[in-house]
């Protein structure tokens, strides 16, 4: 099926979980394109998301609030963050093309304009990820673990940033532009 949404607030909202297993989605929103409290899970489908806030936003004050992708094609053009979750982000497969905050040549503002951001862990096992971000392309307040995939980053700040640790086991990473390419305590 095909879903076309133009919204003066958020595009798709779930009080708990939002799950996709296929379909084609075109969302233009003044808020977040896709927003959930507990989780957004994608296992296929094609997404074209344009938003004045975050492309995909998952936020819950409990130990929920995660994003998981195991397939699909996601194109995001967000004024805020491309993908944002407060518990963890797990990318196993899929194609992501994220532009946040106008891209790497835009001026940094007080708003968060990161490509992929999570205060907790980010794990990337595979897929193709292209990010053009005003601020950090991949940002975690704890750790980033890259186990595979193809990653191309252009950032107005850090390419990959983690407050605690970054582990790179495998994958092809090309940081085309960044103030600091890879930054972490460990």
């Amino acid at each position: 099926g095909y879903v076309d949404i133009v919204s003066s607030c958020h595009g798709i909202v779930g009080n708990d979980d939002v799950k996709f297993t296929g379909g084609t989605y075109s969302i233009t929103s003044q808020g977040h394109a896709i927003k959930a409290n507990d989780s957004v899970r994608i296992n296929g489908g094609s997404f074209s998301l344009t938003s004045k806030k975050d492309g995909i936003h998952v936020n819950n004050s409990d130990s929920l609030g995660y994003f998981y992708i195991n397939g699909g094609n996601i194109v995001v053009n967000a004024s805020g963050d491309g993908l944002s979750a407060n518990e963890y982000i797990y990318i196993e497969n899929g194609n992501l093309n994220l532009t946040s905050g106008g891209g790497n040549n835009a001026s940094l503002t007080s708003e968060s304009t990161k490509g992929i951001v999570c205060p907790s862990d980010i794990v990337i096992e595979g897929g193709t990820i292209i990010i053009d971000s005003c601020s950090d392309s991949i940002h975690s307040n704890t750790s980033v673990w890259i186990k595979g995939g193809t990653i191309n980053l252009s950032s107005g700040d850090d390419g990959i940033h983690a407050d605690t640790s970054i582990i790179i086991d495998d994958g092809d990473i090309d940081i085309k532009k960044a103030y600091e390419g890879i930054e972490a305590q460990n």
Side-chain angles (χ1 to χ4, degrees), residues 112-163:
S112 184
T113 55
K114 297 172 176 68
I116 298 174
V117 60
C118 185
S120 191
D121 297 335
I122 298 172
V123 177
I124 299 170
E125 274 200 18
T128 300
I129 301 170
I130 300 168
I131 301 175
D132 184 5
S133 60
C134 178
S135 186
D136 297 349
S137 288
I138 300 173
H139 178 101
S140 169
N141 291 0
T142 56
S143 68
V144 174
W145 188 1
I146 299 173
K147 301 178 181 184
T150 300
I151 302 170
N152 293 293
L153 309 175
S154 297
S155 171
D157 199 359
D158 297 344
I160 303 170
H161 172 96
D163 288 352

Side-chain angles (χ1 to χ4, degrees), residues 72-83:
N73 297 298
I74 302 171
V75 176
V76 173
N77 188 349
S79 296
D81 298 321
L83 306 177

Side-chain angles (χ1 to χ4, degrees), residues 58-124:
V58 189
N59 190 358
N60 191 322
S61 57
D62 298 329
S63 15
L64 297 167
Y66 67 91
F67 174 77
Y68 170 76
I69 178 173
N70 185 26
N73 297 298
I74 302 171
V75 176
V76 173
N77 188 349
S79 296
D81 298 321
L83 306 177
S84 171
N86 73 310
E87 187 58 30
Y88 67 87
I89 294 175
Y90 190 93
I91 300 169
E92 191 170 358
N93 203 347
N95 298 305
L96 300 161
N97 190 331
L98 313 174
T99 301
S100 60
N104 70 81
N105 290 317
S107 298
L108 290 171
T109 67
S110 60
E111 300 296 319
S112 184
T113 55
K114 297 172 176 68
I116 298 174
V117 60
C118 185
S120 191
D121 297 335
I122 298 172
V123 177
I124 299 170

Side-chain angles (χ1 to χ4, degrees), residues 6-11 28-33 50-54:
V6 177
S7 171
S8 60
C9 193
H10 306 307
T28 301
S29 66
Q30 296 299 309
H32 305 304
T50 302
S51 64
K52 293 291 183 184
K53 290 192 175 181
D54 299 346

